[in-house]
Amino acid sequence: MELHDVVREALERQVIEHEPGQAALVLRDGVDELGPEAVAAELLDGAAVALRRLVAETDEALDLDEVVQRLSVDGAVAADSVDVLARMLVLAAAAAGGLRPGVGPAVAELGPQRALFGAWLALLAAVRVVAISLERTEADLTEEIVAALGPG
């Protein structure tokens, strides 16, 4: 299984088919086969694609604190996950801007499970926030992300 296939399948299960349990299984299998750092990096690349689309179409950047606070208040992110989400969104935003930082230090510090959770949460948050900002459906944006990451 290729990295882009893992992200494509997980996103399709979560966003299009509304099957989060199946998405988690796809990610677990991808991690078992490809490793946590590789999968986390590809998830963040997906978030970077969404963020890049936002900037390309609006020529504006989002305020990180505002986005994270809004997601927390809306109940989309648990209070104990705010810091890891913010960290992963910064990594994705850096990649969107053309400088892809390594995820190894985050995986080492947070542990593979928490880092992967954060990367997945960052991708889903980016999809939600960018779709709302661009007045698109999450499914349409997901299809754009999947196409940008590689062959399906």
Side-chain angles (χ1 to χ4, degrees), residues 35-48:
E37 285 185 23
V39 173
E42 190 75 357
L43 292 170
L44 293 175
D45 282 349

Side-chain angles (χ1 to χ4, degrees), residues 1-16 23 26-27 30-31 34 38-47 49 116 119-120 123-124 127 142 145-151:
M1 181 179 287
E2 299 287 327
L3 281 169
H4 58 265
D5 291 328
V6 172
V7 174
R8 176 184 52 79
E9 286 186 37
L11 272 174
E12 288 173 353
R13 300 290 186 274
Q14 178 81 30
V15 176
I16 297 170
V26 168
L27 291 171
V31 168
L34 303 165
V39 173
E42 190 75 357
L43 292 170
L44 293 175
D45 282 349
V49 169
L116 282 159
W120 179 239
L123 174 54
L124 295 177
V127 167
T142 293
I145 292 168
V146 167
L149 289 177

Side-chain angles (χ1 to χ4, degrees), residues 64 67-69 71-73 75-90 110 113-123 125:
L64 176 66
V67 168
V68 172
Q69 180 183 16
L71 290 167
S72 179
V73 169
V77 179
D80 64 345
S81 298
V82 168
D83 289 341
V84 71
L85 172 61
R87 182 172 183 178
M88 294 302 176
L89 282 172
V90 167
L110 298 170
Q113 185 174 7
R114 189 140 169 87
L116 282 159
F117 169 75
W120 179 239
L121 190 58
L123 174 54

